[in-house]
Amino acid sequence: MNLRALQRDFQSLYGRPAAGAVRAPGRVNLIGEHTDYNDGFVLPIAISRQTLAAYARRDDRIVHFASKQAESQIVPVDLAAPIARAEPTWANYCRGVAAGLLAAGVELTGADVLFDSDVPLGGGLSSSAALEVATALVLLEAAGARGAVAAADLARLCQKAEHDFAGAPCGIMDQSIAIMGQAGRAMLLDCRGNEVRHVPFDDPDGVLLVADTQVRHAISGGAYALRRQQCHADAAALGAKALREVDLPAVQAALAEGKLDAPQFKRARHVAGEIARTLQAVQVLGEGDHKRFGQLMTASHVSLRDDYEVSCEELDAIVDAALPVPGVHGARMTGGGFGGCAIILAHVSQAERITRIIQEAFAARFGRRCPIFATPATAGAGPLAME
Ligand code: ADP
Ligand code: MG
């Protein structure tokens, strides 16, 4: 995937050249999993996989959305009429964003838009947020309204589009990192007040590998909703508004006092432990201690696997294959779980060897490929210079 090819495809689809283009990255969460809906902390980076959108303004109020991941079929959306969910469903992310921008008072114009992406769809690297954010930027650019919506508001608007138009009850992390990510930095996001703090993640000796199980999860599915409910029930049993307010000793005490039963206790222990690990991870990053950072990642995986029970065989197999390899600092599943991707933090000199060992172990066990790529922390979404 590259911009020049997208420009060529735009020309053949719409019969005129693209006037501009934007990019919006996918993301991985380094640590802080299933903490967002507990008012906790997450620590994502924007990655090198991204969604591009080329556009040209139209003189009417019709937006044509098309995606190379959806056979470049043109989907018209009339900005002058009420915008509602419709077929094809992939375009609902775009409809939701257009509706949100109009509701925010932005004077949008018509546009022809073509997307292309190398973020795997449904792979847990947040192709959905990349699509929403690319849509928002492209509509703002076409309308000559760059910067009309502040970054934090834009993230909320894209999140709302996913809630209302795609029916996915996602947190604010994916949209925030896609918009506010910085090159060479991870972003600590406090999901209570949505404050962000950027922390260096640019060890020249380190490499972050992303391994895709290619097992596709459905985040709107039952297990995710059930975990959310269990957390809210746990918080209520502990007299807290959210599990964020509860630390590990308090969770232990609640078990001893019979306020939590054993299964409830495991869920609460994951959340309280994960929030503590995430804050510790930021501290050790500040000290440049990547080995310790890796150990915290691994502890996060063990907790997600055993206490929160959201891992799966394929994710565990990747982590188990990676951990014994010299030069691996840590490994964990990332994202909601039940499939998607695992991440491995390692010494850069070992990247190829680690990749080979994981892929061999994965193929031997599951009889298929496990794509792996390395990524730095990249910048958040923005306009691209045309070639
Ligand atoms: P994830 O965000 O982990 O990739 P989701 O299930 O949240 O998984 O979002 C995936 C959905 O987003 C796809 O099924 C598709 O509807 C939509 N989508 C994302 N990127 C694109 C794209 N480039 N073209 C068309 N649809 C896309
Ligand atoms: Mg998504």
Side-chain angles (χ1 to χ4, degrees), residues 86-354:
E87 296 286 330
T89 53
W90 74 265
N92 282 332
Y93 299 90
C94 308
R95 293 185 186 97
V97 169
L101 287 169
L102 290 170
V106 182
E107 285 189 30
L108 296 180
T109 55
D112 292 334
V113 180
L114 178 60
F115 299 102
D116 193 7
S117 184
D118 61 8
V119 185
L121 270 54
L125 302 181
S126 206
S127 70
S128 58
L131 178 61
E132 290 147 20
V133 172
T135 301
L137 292 199
V138 104
L139 292 178
L140 288 166
E141 290 286 314
R146 185 188 296 181
V149 183
D153 296 332
L154 202 59
R156 266 194 296 276
L157 188 154
C158 290
Q159 179 197 25
K160 186 168 163 27
E162 186 146 346
H163 287 186
D164 297 351
F165 279 72
C170 58
I172 192 74
M173 167 171 73
D174 300 355
Q175 294 78 7
S176 300
I177 185 69
I179 293 167
M180 295 177 231
Q182 293 185 3
R185 293 193 150 78
M187 189 180 87
L188 179 70
L189 171 66
D190 182 338
C191 299
R192 172 168 276 176
N194 292 346
E195 297 107 60
V196 304
R197 179 149 73 89
H198 296 277
V199 286
F201 185 73
D202 57 356
D203 175 17
D205 295 329
V207 66
L208 189 78
L209 300 173
V210 182
D212 188 353
T213 63
Q214 297 191 289
V215 176
R216 297 309 183 222
H217 65 285
I219 202 166
S220 47
Y224 179 81
L226 181 61
R227 294 300 181 288
R228 276 186 92 124
Q229 276 169 21
Q230 289 170 329
C231 286
H232 291 143
D234 279 11
L238 291 162
K241 243 180 68 206
L243 284 177
R244 151 76 168 266
E245 294 162 13
V246 183
D247 60 10
L248 273 175
V251 174
Q252 295 282 3
L255 178 70
E257 291 160 15
K259 287 188 194 156
L260 295 178
D261 63 20
Q264 281 181 307
F265 165 73
K266 284 191 356 179
R267 302 293 188 252
R269 180 166 64 180
H270 166 71
V271 174
E274 187 76 356
I275 289 173
R277 274 189 292 276
T278 305
L279 295 175
Q280 237 183 313
V282 169
Q283 196 188 328
V284 302
L285 262 192
E287 293 160 4
D289 190 346
H290 299 273
K291 285 210 173 109
R292 181 78 192 113
F293 188 85
Q295 288 163 1
L296 291 164
M297 282 172 56
T298 305
S300 165
H301 183 77
V302 169
S303 174
L304 288 159
R305 183 189 66 199
D306 298 343
D307 275 354
Y308 217 62
E309 298 176 278
V310 291
S311 188
C312 66
E313 281 188 271
E314 292 85 351
L315 289 166
D316 293 343
I318 292 169
V319 170
D320 292 345
L323 287 179
V325 185
V328 170
H329 302 323
R332 64 182 287 270
M333 55 161 277
T334 183
F338 307 108
C341 293
I343 53 175
I344 301 104
L345 186 69
H347 195 278
V348 67
S349 64
Q350 299 302 309
E352 277 171 31
R353 177 149 178 260
I354 294 161

